[in-house]
Structures are given as structure tokens and as C-alpha cells.
Amino acid sequence: MQSSSNLFPVALISAERRGDLSEDVYRLKPGNSPDGTVELAVTRLGMADKPTHGGVPVILLHGSFSNRRFWFSPKGLGLGAYLTRLGFDVWIPEMRGHGLSQRNQNYRKNRVADYARYDLPAIGAFVREQSGQVPHWIGHSLGGITLAAALGGEYIGEPVVASAAFFGTQVSRTYWPLKIPPVEWSGRFILKRFAQLSGSRLKRGPEDEPIGLALESMRWYGLFGRFGDADKDWWAGLAEVRLPVLAVSAAGDHQDPAWACRKLFDQVGSEHKQFINLGREQGFGDNFGHVEMLVSKAAQTEVWPLVARWLADQHTSLSGDKPDLASAV
């Protein structure tokens, strides 16, 4: 593989124009994990008529059953496109086996632990190398969980993270049946018969998820489970995070409720952090849902500008003229 990086083999696999935007897709082969077949696709957005990138880099992490199109559609719509037009240098990775990232040899065993320990550090290092700046990170749902795991496990930090924003991200919702060991054991026995969970069959999204993720989350929510792996307690590690943090929940999100997102926010030890709940009681036009908080016409007018303001200045409250919108620490 011909490399465009001094870190590890990287190839530019496509370069397209999407209206006023450019879309360059890189294939990274970090070679830093036990599975040497892992390759990661990372899309860089830019303005088609500007040959160079000079804006502040932002990395967008998609959630479960999803891919890069959550952030940027072929028609040039989405938060990624919006931020690019504002002058930000936008990077959109796709996790192992998602979108343009091919399935690795041990795909069925992929876990958040692998994404956090191996993939996010490689992505962060590559973006910093190419942009010459420390990137900001935004994660939605599982993307936010992966970002929290990487920060709590100290796999990434200030060298490659300027700030972290979590949308619809939590690990505290209780699934009581999993607290009963025989139920958890039976569930594991059944799930191990499968290699993946189908997003289309479950009507959750366009991508499949490896069964390893499901087994890992069952361990988190089990009787003596914790947010971490055998080596590190990621939850405890979040208390040591000192980077600016934004956490956003949605009042209409029943998958990742506001109280659980707030609990993760409270665990983060950062001095500069803000929490926002997107709901009518907080001054928004509607009670946003899990996806609608970032992908909807209402999000374009009410949420995307908040994201841009956060990326421009993490130390000023986002509440503005809505005193009940955000709580800052």
C-alpha cells in the first residue's frame, strides 16, 4: 500500500466532488492491534474550490448500525457538510466493518474495547498529522461511548483531543433481567451462535454490528458489570479527564434517556463542561429524539449552530438567551 502518512500505511482511495464540497476517502492500515487485517476508512470533507485545508479539525464518530452517511449525505447535507461550509476541517471515520471500512478477519469479535484502544488513537494521530492541529471529537450514541472509553482508558488525550462532545451517550441505563445471572448466561449462549446483528432486520440502520459488541455490553450491564475491560475501569478514568466536554441529551430519546446521559456527564472530571437537554422545557421547539437530535430539519436550525459555537469556544456558556438550555460547570 502506498502511504501518504509517516505513521503507517495510508492510501487515498477516492477523491470526489459533491456539489460545492470535496470528499477524499483514505484507507488506514495502522497495524497496531492483534488483528492485522484491520483497515479503517476515513473521509475528509473540504470546499471543492479550495485546494488546501486550514480550518480547525473535527472528527465525527457515528453510532451503532450506522456509517459516515449519518454525518454527510451524497447530496451534501448533514452536520459534517454544515461544519465544512463554516470553515472547519471535517473528518469522518467508519468503524471496522462499517461503510467503506472492510470487515476484518476477527469481525465477529470486534468490541468497543478494540475501537477505543487501537482505532481511535490511530485516527487521532493521522488527523493531527495531516491537519497540523489537535482535533475536536464529536460522538453520537455508540460513537460517544467509544470516545468515552478511549478517554477513560487513557488511550487518547490532550495530544490528539482538543475537546469531546457526546450526543445521546450513556452507559447507566439499567436492564434488570441482565442482573439475573441465569438470564445473562442464557443470552450469551444464544448470541454466540450468531456472527452479527442485522441493522436492516432490526430496523435500526443500514449497517450490521458484530456480535462481540452485544456480548461486551451484556457484561457492562450484568450483575457485577462495569464500564471497562479486564485491564482498565473506563468509568473511573472519566473522573480524571480534564479536557473541555459537552454532553447533549434529547428529551424524546427513550433509548438513551437524559438522566443516564447526565450521569456520564457528571462522572467526567473536567473543569470546563456543559450539559444540554434538547426539549421544549429547555426552550427548544420540540422534544428531540435519539436520531433527530442531529439528523432533522429542526436540528439544522437549533442544534447545529450550538455545535459550531461549542467548537469555536468551549469556555463560554451555550445558554445564550435561553437560561434553562444548558448547565455549565
Side-chain angles (χ1 to χ4, degrees):
M1 179 187 292
Q2 185 178 2
S3 182
S4 56
S5 169
N6 294 319
L7 299 170
F8 38 71
V10 175
L12 177 65
I13 59 176
S14 72
E16 303 289 344
R17 180 168 184 145
R18 304 288 185 182
D20 61 330
L21 303 177
S22 63
E23 178 189 77
D24 297 337
V25 182
Y26 296 87
R27 184 173 67 236
L28 282 56
K29 193 171 183 179
N32 62 342
S33 68
D35 186 344
T37 67
V38 172
E39 295 184 357
L40 303 169
V42 181
T43 298
R44 187 182 198 179
L45 299 182
M47 299 305 298
D49 296 329
K50 293 184 179 180
T52 60
H53 299 267
V56 175
V58 182
I59 299 174
L60 305 178
L61 300 175
H62 64 76
S64 58
F65 302 101
S66 188
N67 54 41
R68 64 182 178 144
R69 293 308 182 195
F70 181 85
W71 304 106
F72 169 63
S73 76
K75 294 183 178 180
L77 302 175
L79 177 61
Y82 171 81
L83 293 176
T84 301
R85 293 185 177 107
L86 289 180
F88 291 97
D89 185 9
V90 175
W91 298 78
I92 310 176
E94 292 177 290
M95 295 298 100
R96 305 177 180 193
H98 292 74
L100 300 176
S101 295
Q102 67 178 22
R103 293 193 177 188
N104 53 303
Q105 183 175 346
N106 295 326
Y107 167 79
R108 73 183 312 274
K109 296 182 179 180
N110 287 343
R111 304 167 301 156
V112 165
D114 301 312
Y115 303 159
R117 183 188 294 268
Y118 305 116
D119 299 348
L120 263 58
I123 292 165
F126 176 67
V127 171
R128 178 166 184 175
E129 177 197 46
Q130 297 296 308
S131 67
Q133 301 181 61
V134 179
H136 299 267
W137 296 66
I138 298 175
H140 174 251
S141 193
L142 184 63
I145 291 174
T146 302
L147 179 57
L151 290 170
E154 297 183 310
Y155 307 127
I156 59 175
E158 291 185 0
V160 295
V161 185
S163 72
F166 304 97
F167 281 77
T169 300
Q170 62 85 27
V171 291
S172 298
R173 184 180 175 184
T174 301
Y175 298 90
W176 289 111
L178 294 179
K179 301 294 184 182
I180 304 173
V183 174
E184 181 189 1
W185 299 336
S186 299
R188 285 181 173 276
F189 177 77
I190 295 172
L191 287 176
K192 285 181 178 180
R193 299 171 57 190
F194 301 92
Q196 68 218 15
L197 297 176
S198 171
S200 58
R201 289 184 180 181
L202 295 173
K203 297 182 179 180
R204 296 290 301 276
E207 299 281 342
D208 297 336
E209 289 295 341
I211 207 64
L213 286 181
L215 295 172
E216 181 183 42
S217 63
M218 288 184 69
R219 179 175 54 77
W220 296 344
Y221 296 115
L223 182 59
F224 299 107
R226 68 173 188 178
F227 182 55
D229 60 10
D231 299 321
K232 291 191 176 183
D233 185 337
W234 305 331
W235 183 260
L238 287 173
E240 305 303 319
V241 173
R242 296 294 179 263
L243 299 161
V245 166
L246 171 67
V248 181
S249 62
D253 187 349
H254 303 294
Q255 176 179 325
D256 297 299
W259 68 265
C261 295
R262 177 77 199 208
K263 193 169 182 178
L264 184 141
F265 167 82
D266 289 338
Q267 179 65 14
V268 175
S270 175
E271 179 181 353
H272 301 289
K273 60 180 183 177
Q274 298 187 53
F275 181 83
I276 296 175
N277 187 31
L278 304 173
R280 294 191 186 94
E281 291 185 3
Q282 290 73 32
F284 291 92
D286 198 2
N287 290 328
F288 286 80
H290 185 67
V291 173
E292 292 77 14
M293 67 193 309
L294 285 168
V295 182
S296 64
K297 290 185 178 180
Q300 294 181 37
T301 58
E302 297 192 81
V303 182
W304 295 0
L306 289 177
V307 176
R309 286 171 55 192
W310 164 260
L311 293 172
D313 181 6
Q314 296 83 49
H315 297 89
T316 300
S317 174
L318 296 176
S319 59
D321 58 356
K322 297 179 180 179
D324 296 328
L325 184 153
S327 59
V329 176

